[in-house]
Amino acid sequence: MVEDVYKRQLMTIQVTVFPNSGFTICLTFNHVVGDGKSLHHFIKFWASLCKARGDLDPSETSMSLPSHERTRVKDPKGLKLFYSQAFAIMEPKITEFTGLRYRFTVVLSRKHTEKLKNWVSLKLSVYDSGALHISTFVVTCSLIWVSLVGSEESTQDSDKLCFLIFAADSRDCPEFSLTSTYFGNCVATCMVAMKRSEIVGENGIVAAAKAIEREIRDFKSDALRKFENLISDSRELEKLGKSALIIASSPKFGVYQSDFGWGKPKKCEVAHVESSAFMSLSECRDEKEGIEVGLALERTQMNKFNNNLEKELHNINKC
């Protein structure tokens, strides 16, 4: 019996040359092929070959070949069939124009994030005696989430659940133990839910940091724990119109390390960050250990967000 075949466009690359000004490379990438880490390994390997003028000699290129060892991926819960069937009935979404958005980038220096980590850790030590790992990722997401939720219409129900959704690389997890150059999908979806009143409350950043840290800790203890419910949970969120912030990209991808022979890129953007439902994270181009946060908001919300962000950073700096 011949199985049904479903066709999807996997990748499109567009290069635009600006005379005497440089060029841009734009990519669309279907995640049925691989995750963000796979995509950026591909980009950096491509850049490395260009810089080495096509020489595949390991001494000339700075990147190792990707690994396609699919047999190393174990599937104890039979999720391959489940996801294959779910993907077959999913229809591509058509993005509709919903109003003008302003794309902008928030840059948090290492000084900002270290101050945040120390402040959050100190606050949490008063209420929680357990050992918590408050990372740069945790405090950055907490700060931006609190500032964004606070910029929404204040008439919203204070008991309304808000969600923060991000992907976690599973290559190092005991369930998989894959090489860092594995090319494919090896991410788990992490989801944090909090009441709006908690997020915009006096200790919103601290409460958000604790919830995000707990979700990461749970993921590390069992990377497969939510895989069976991922599709149904996503559909439920979409159907009920829940407030959700989805994090795209990661500072660990090293987007500014892609050198085609002319140095690092001037600017890297995640194109599908086009509403308040998305934000992107990357390392900072010009400051070591800094973070770039990409957002797209309407003007009114953008102004409220900036005011909230400045207020939160000012309060932390006072401590």
Side-chain angles (χ1 to χ4, degrees):
M1 183 176 68
V2 178
E3 295 183 358
D4 291 335
V5 177
Y6 302 94
K7 295 182 179 180
R8 294 287 190 273
Q9 186 167 319
L10 300 182
M11 178 184 282
T12 301
I13 301 175
Q14 175 180 294
V15 179
T16 304
V17 178
F18 299 96
N20 303 316
S21 299
F23 63 94
T24 64
I25 300 175
C26 302
L27 298 97
T28 60
F29 183 72
N30 194 314
H31 281 301
V32 73
V33 176
D35 52 28
K37 188 167 185 176
S38 298
L39 170 64
H40 285 283
H41 183 274
F42 163 78
I43 294 172
K44 284 197 278 288
F45 188 82
W46 174 24
S48 180
L49 281 178
C50 289
K51 188 175 182 180
R53 299 180 180 274
D55 193 340
L56 280 170
D57 187 328
S59 64
E60 296 295 331
T61 58
S62 58
M63 298 294 296
S64 55
L65 287 167
S67 167
H68 298 277
E69 297 178 273
R70 297 282 193 265
T71 56
R72 292 189 59 182
V73 181
K74 306 304 177 184
D75 187 14
K77 297 187 178 183
L79 297 173
K80 179 180 179 180
L81 178 61
F82 171 74
Y83 275 91
S84 297
Q85 293 172 339
F87 180 76
I89 62 175
M90 290 174 66
E91 293 294 330
K93 292 184 179 180
I94 299 176
T95 302
E96 297 182 358
F97 179 73
T98 57
L100 184 63
R101 300 287 191 277
Y102 293 86
R103 294 183 66 105
F104 62 103
T105 301
V106 175
V107 178
L108 296 175
S109 66
R110 183 177 183 273
K111 182 180 178 180
H112 282 133
T113 56
E114 286 300 316
K115 184 84 173 180
L116 268 168
K117 285 193 285 186
N118 293 335
W119 181 78
V120 169
S121 298
L122 181 62
K123 289 279 188 178
L124 284 173
S125 66
V126 177
Y127 307 105
D128 197 317
S129 58
L132 302 177
H133 179 57
I134 305 302
S135 65
T136 297
F137 175 83
V138 167
V139 296
T140 300
C141 292
S142 302
L143 175 66
I144 301 299
W145 195 21
V146 167
S147 300
L148 269 176
V149 172
S151 70
E152 296 171 351
E153 291 296 330
S154 59
T155 55
Q156 293 191 33
D157 183 0
S158 62
D159 287 333
K160 177 182 179 180
L161 281 178
C162 299
F163 295 84
L164 181 75
I165 302 169
F166 56 94
D169 184 16
S170 303
R171 287 167 176 77
D172 292 336
C173 295
E175 295 93 333
F176 302 104
S177 297
L178 296 169
T179 173
S180 63
T181 58
Y182 172 74
F183 191 98
N185 264 302
C186 197
V187 292
T189 299
C190 296
M191 188 180 300
V192 180
M194 291 180 65
K195 289 183 179 179
R196 187 179 190 278
S197 57
E198 295 178 296
I199 299 173
V200 299
E202 184 179 354
N203 294 307
I205 292 179
V206 177
K210 184 176 180 180
I212 297 169
E213 193 276 341
R214 186 190 304 117
E215 178 69 10
I216 295 173
R217 193 157 18 109
D218 290 345
F219 153 73
K220 289 180 178 178
S221 66
D222 182 6
L224 293 171
R225 78 191 195 287
K226 290 185 177 179
F227 270 49
E228 297 99 324
N229 302 322
L230 178 59
I231 298 294
S232 60
D233 287 348
S234 299
R235 287 174 176 164
E236 189 70 13
L237 285 175
E238 186 176 351
K239 182 176 69 176
L240 297 177
K242 297 287 187 179
S243 172
L245 175 61
I246 302 171
I247 300 174
S249 196
S250 166
K252 293 184 178 180
F253 290 162
V255 296
Y256 288 107
Q257 296 172 17
S258 300
D259 184 356
F260 284 82
W262 295 279
K264 58 186 177 182
K266 291 290 184 181
K267 191 74 173 75
C268 293
E269 299 267 8
V270 178
H272 66 263
V273 174
E274 55 188 14
S275 74
S276 59
F278 293 92
M279 65 179 255
S280 66
L281 293 177
S282 72
E283 82 277 19
C284 187
R285 182 189 187 276
D286 297 315
E287 182 166 347
K288 188 177 181 181
E289 297 184 54
I291 298 290
E292 289 186 3
V293 183
L295 295 160
L297 304 175
E298 293 179 347
R299 179 180 289 278
T300 301
Q301 187 179 7
M302 179 179 69
N303 292 336
K304 290 181 179 178
F305 168 82
N306 286 330
N307 289 336
N308 291 340
L309 184 66
E310 289 178 10
K311 182 181 73 175
E312 295 292 350
L313 290 174
H314 177 70
N315 290 338
I316 292 167
N317 286 328
K318 287 196 305 183
C319 298

